Amino acid sequence: MNNAFAQKQAWIRINQLGYTPAGKKVAVWAGKEKFMLDKFKLVHAKTGKTVLEHTVGKDFGAYGPFVQSFRLDFSQVADTGSYFLEAQGVKSPTFRIAKDVYQGAADFTLRYMRQQRTLFNPYLADSCHTHDGFALYGGKSGLPDSTNVDAGGGWHDASDYLQYSTTSANATYHLLAAYRDFPQVFGDQKLANGLGGRNGIADVLDEAKWGLDWLVKMHPKPTWMFNQIADDRDHASMRMPGEDPFYGRGYERPVYFIDGLPQQRGKFMNRTTGTSSTAAKFTSAFLLGADLLKPIDKRYAKMLSTKAQTAFEYAHIKLGVTQTVSVKSPYIYAEENWKDDMELAAALQFRYHKKASFKQQAFDYARAEPITPWMTTDTAAHYQWYPFINLGHYELAKVSQGKEKAELLQFYKTGIAQVWERAKENAFYRGVPFIWCSNNLTVSFAIQCQWYEQLAHDTTYAELAQANIDWLFGANPWGTSMVYGLPAWGDTPVDPHSAFTKLKNFPIDGGLVDGPVYTSIFKNLIGIQLHQADAYADFQSDLVVYHDDYGDYSTNEPTMDGTASLIYLLASQEQKALEEPKVKK
């Protein structure tokens, strides 16, 4: 086979960050023509010496744009260094095997969270949305429509400037959990306001507190809680963060009250059924925040503990889900599950207050939703099953033993097995559905696999977990990382759906973009128009597409909550590498 032809018709996809010495190390060969492929080589990049020659194993056949695909497993090589893979004239990019391939990655992704801050934005060294906002739907709780409320702070949700309590509380929880579980991997290079300097507090905890401060404002009284600032009228123009005179009240933006009832603005009615999903997320973030911040600020921690209790009571006002509000378009966060949120809240209540009734309540909710529903199907509505991982199973399992713990771990295992049934049929081990924000699901699934392995001491799905991490950093049909600027030397997004990059050419370091979607979804979304020639045209298919193009908000828009989950995942990888046994250099 002519080498030049081979390079144009076949590719070896790798994790561009690299691989750890003791970890699973697999690349994916993918070809648009049939090759007689039986062996591959791992070559030391500096010496040119072949350090491994191995059979390729099973041909997984067609997937997406490819007609042939193989998994190239070189896990047996533990020597550190720079390498490339080669088979039938096709060479992979050079990559490293080293214990430090994830070092600093979690702190790098924190840059995006700081850049998403509203009120004072440290990246811009300026303030925005200083007049938020005026209340809607709070009349029955003594808060007439158009009453001014202090709701400034938090993070912009994505490349628009809406703010949602459900995603912010989940993001805050993931940041707090990352600090709790992996404190030694995070640095202290920023002050609490996000500007340069040291304050003796890990930057991830500073960022989590920024989220907590806003959640406190969104639950200012025991009988008041807000779900959302602004709505899709925000999308009237792409602009830098600033004041937004789109809402009929000058620079103030609407702040939507949680009343447990369906809400309608314009022609679109959401399907809210209760107060539980958002209020329970508040509860969990407040409880974990109180625990972690107590050594730093006892008064603040006590206030968070009180807020946790009133938020838990709010969750019980009307059991059900709270959805977001849209005015001009049909797209909302169409969350339909809430029992997972109540499980997590009750599990943490038990952990911190030791009341058996909380544990029983948590188990009741765990059994009511044992598997996060997206795992059992290949499609779902936008944010229909959120969070994309059942956080409660993990927290409850940690305070359980015997049959109770085994039951929770079986819930995790059953969900993972459902995804594995789809994943094992293709060389990328891809079993996560290509719905909107598929990368967020990918991160969450990798975390669930790791938690199962950690608690069950079962490595059955270790390679599947690693395949999902590898996917995020280049072992995918397009050969690109899904994180802006990570790694700095790799193929990463350069034209995301972001005003920062489009209008000012500012980097959005660390932002996790939405990720590939089914082609059928892409073709039916409103207002998408590619602005440039498709750099990945050769790798699109009838199955799935991904575009590094500002005009595609469905695959290339970064999200705050997805990035927060990624911070947890990357921190876990850095910690795991630190704990690996020593190998020869």
Side-chain angles (χ1 to χ4, degrees):
M1 178 66 69
N2 178 274
N3 283 358
F5 176 78
Q7 291 286 168
K8 292 180 180 179
Q9 296 299 318
W11 299 263
I12 298 175
R13 301 310 199 190
I14 61 165
N15 181 333
Q16 297 176 100
L17 282 178
Y19 302 85
T20 61
K24 292 297 297 184
K25 293 179 278 291
V26 179
V28 176
W29 161 289
K32 300 182 80 169
E33 299 284 346
K34 286 280 188 178
F35 287 73
M36 294 296 294
L37 194 66
D38 56 355
K39 293 182 180 180
F40 71 92
K41 297 188 299 183
L42 180 69
V43 181
H44 196 284
K46 290 184 178 180
T47 66
K49 179 182 177 181
T50 297
V51 297
L52 174 70
E53 189 168 358
H54 200 279
T55 57
V56 297
K58 174 183 175 180
D59 183 351
F60 283 84
Y63 185 76
F66 307 115
V67 299
Q68 186 183 41
S69 53
F70 297 87
R71 289 181 65 77
L72 311 183
D73 191 332
F74 52 103
S75 299
Q76 67 193 76
V77 177
D79 291 352
T80 59
S82 294
Y83 301 89
F84 62 85
L85 293 157
E86 185 173 4
Q88 281 285 54
V90 178
K91 294 173 62 175
S92 75
T94 299
F95 57 85
R96 291 196 307 137
I97 298 176
K99 291 188 69 170
D100 65 351
V101 293
Y102 292 100
Q103 185 174 331
D107 268 335
F108 180 84
T109 51
L110 269 173
R111 296 184 187 183
Y112 182 72
M113 299 300 295
R114 284 191 292 271
Q115 195 179 59
Q116 288 296 101
R117 287 191 186 187
T118 184
L119 207 56
F120 179 72
N121 185 292
Y123 184 86
L124 300 173
D126 199 0
S127 295
C128 63
H129 302 122
T130 57
H131 299 280
D132 289 333
F134 63 94
L136 292 175
Y137 291 106
K140 292 182 180 180
S141 296
L143 184 62
D145 281 359
S146 298
T147 301
N148 181 266
V149 293
D150 177 12
W155 301 288
H156 301 127
D157 189 60
S159 292
D160 50 60
Y161 302 126
L162 282 72
Q163 296 177 242
Y164 299 112
S165 293
T166 187
T167 54
S168 296
N170 184 46
T172 300
Y173 188 87
H174 274 86
L175 295 176
L176 289 167
Y179 174 75
R180 177 196 63 189
D181 294 349
F182 317 109
Q184 70 188 89
V185 310
F186 292 100
D188 174 21
Q189 302 295 325
K190 300 293 180 180
L191 302 173
N193 64 3
L195 297 177
R198 299 175 184 270
N199 64 350
I201 299 173
D203 294 337
V204 70
L205 193 55
D206 282 330
E207 204 60 38
K209 187 176 181 297
W210 186 264
L212 287 168
D213 288 346
W214 184 69
L215 294 177
V216 167
K217 288 186 174 183
M218 297 295 276
H219 182 42
K221 297 182 179 181
T223 57
W224 290 6
M225 185 176 287
F226 302 101
N227 195 53
Q228 175 177 336
I229 297 180
D231 51 54
D232 62 329
R233 285 174 287 179
D234 168 278
H235 303 342
S237 69
M238 181 63 77
R239 64 210 178 279
M240 295 299 292
E243 309 300 357
D244 303 305
F246 302 135
Y247 300 97
R249 280 288 296 266
Y251 293 129
E252 293 180 78
R253 300 189 297 172
V255 184
Y256 289 84
F257 193 90
I258 296 175
D259 61 4
L261 300 173
Q263 295 178 353
Q264 180 173 3
R265 305 295 294 174
K267 63 180 181 179
F268 296 104
M269 176 80 75
N270 68 16
R271 297 186 301 279
T272 291
T273 61
T275 60
S276 307
S277 59
T278 299
K281 291 185 183 76
F282 273 72
T283 303
S284 302
F286 288 149
L287 283 169
L288 186 53
D291 182 56
L292 296 178
L293 290 167
K294 187 175 182 179
I296 299 171
D297 188 337
K298 289 184 179 180
R299 180 177 297 181
Y300 185 80
K302 184 176 181 180
M303 180 270 293
L304 289 180
S305 182
T306 300
K307 291 285 185 183
Q309 302 318 306
T310 59
F312 199 52
E313 292 169 5
Y314 208 99
H316 286 85
I317 290 174
K318 186 179 181 183
L319 295 177
V321 67
T322 303
Q323 295 191 346
T324 64
V325 176
S326 180
V327 176
K328 300 177 68 176
S329 74
Y331 304 136
I332 63 170
Y333 287 171
E335 190 172 358
E336 289 189 7
N337 58 335
W338 54 272
K339 294 176 182 178
D340 57 334
D341 300 308
M342 293 293 284
E343 177 192 350
L344 176 62
L348 291 180
Q349 291 277 29
F350 172 72
R351 178 177 177 180
Y352 297 124
H353 300 296
K354 308 303 181 186
K355 292 183 179 180
S357 60
F358 286 133
K359 188 175 186 181
Q360 184 59 54
Q361 187 177 2
F363 265 101
D364 288 344
Y365 284 121
R367 290 161 180 151
E369 189 180 297
I371 303 171
T372 303
W374 71 258
M375 293 184 172
T376 65
T377 184
D378 62 356
T379 189
H382 190 44
Y383 277 59
Q384 184 176 5
W385 313 118
Y386 187 75
F388 304 116
I389 181 175
N390 189 312
L391 302 162
H393 288 351
Y394 179 61
E395 298 299 342
L396 191 54
K398 289 192 298 182
V399 294
S400 301
Q401 295 83 33
K403 292 182 179 180
E404 286 185 339
K405 183 176 181 179
E407 181 181 12
L408 293 165
L409 295 180
Q410 186 60 46
F411 293 161
Y412 266 169
K413 184 176 183 179
T414 301
I416 295 169
Q418 292 271 359
V419 177
W420 171 238
E421 283 301 305
R422 300 189 294 268
K424 67 183 182 180
E425 300 300 322
N426 65 83
F428 292 99
Y429 278 3
R430 183 69 186 181
V432 175
F434 293 111
I435 58 176
W436 203 348
C437 293
S438 65
N439 281 341
N440 297 17
L441 274 71
T442 302
V443 171
S444 292
F445 181 69
I447 294 172
Q448 178 165 326
C449 289
Q450 290 188 168
W451 282 350
Y452 170 75
E453 179 178 340
Q454 170 194 333
L455 295 173
H457 306 290
D458 179 358
T459 61
T460 299
Y461 301 108
E463 186 172 347
L464 177 61
Q466 187 61 53
N468 279 268
I469 298 170
D470 295 343
W471 173 279
L472 293 169
F473 293 101
N476 55 58
W478 306 270
T480 185
S481 168
M482 298 291 170
V483 184
Y484 189 102
L486 189 65
W489 58 85
D491 185 316
T492 81
V494 295
D495 189 23
H497 186 77
S498 168
F500 275 76
T501 54
K502 185 67 174 179
L503 301 181
K504 297 292 185 178
N505 202 30
F506 293 154
I508 55 165
D509 287 346
L512 175 71
V513 298
D514 284 338
V517 298
Y518 288 117
T519 303
S520 58
I521 292 178
F522 175 76
K523 289 181 176 179
N524 287 286
L525 291 172
I526 300 170
I528 290 181
Q529 183 177 358
L530 301 185
H531 292 179
Q532 301 180 19
D534 184 3
Y536 299 112
D538 287 344
F539 310 114
Q540 314 299 5
S541 68
D542 291 338
L543 173 66
V544 62
V545 297
Y546 166 77
H547 304 104
D548 183 14
D549 191 299
Y550 165 80
D552 183 2
Y553 62 80
S554 71
T555 69
N556 207 35
E557 181 176 8
T559 63
M560 168 273 300
D561 60 314
T563 301
S565 298
L566 179 66
I567 288 166
Y568 184 97
L569 179 62
L570 289 174
S572 75
Q573 295 308 292
E574 184 170 347
Q575 181 66 41
K576 185 178 180 181
L578 290 173
E579 295 171 354
E580 284 187 0
K582 291 183 178 181
V583 295
K584 66 178 182 178
K585 296 182 179 179

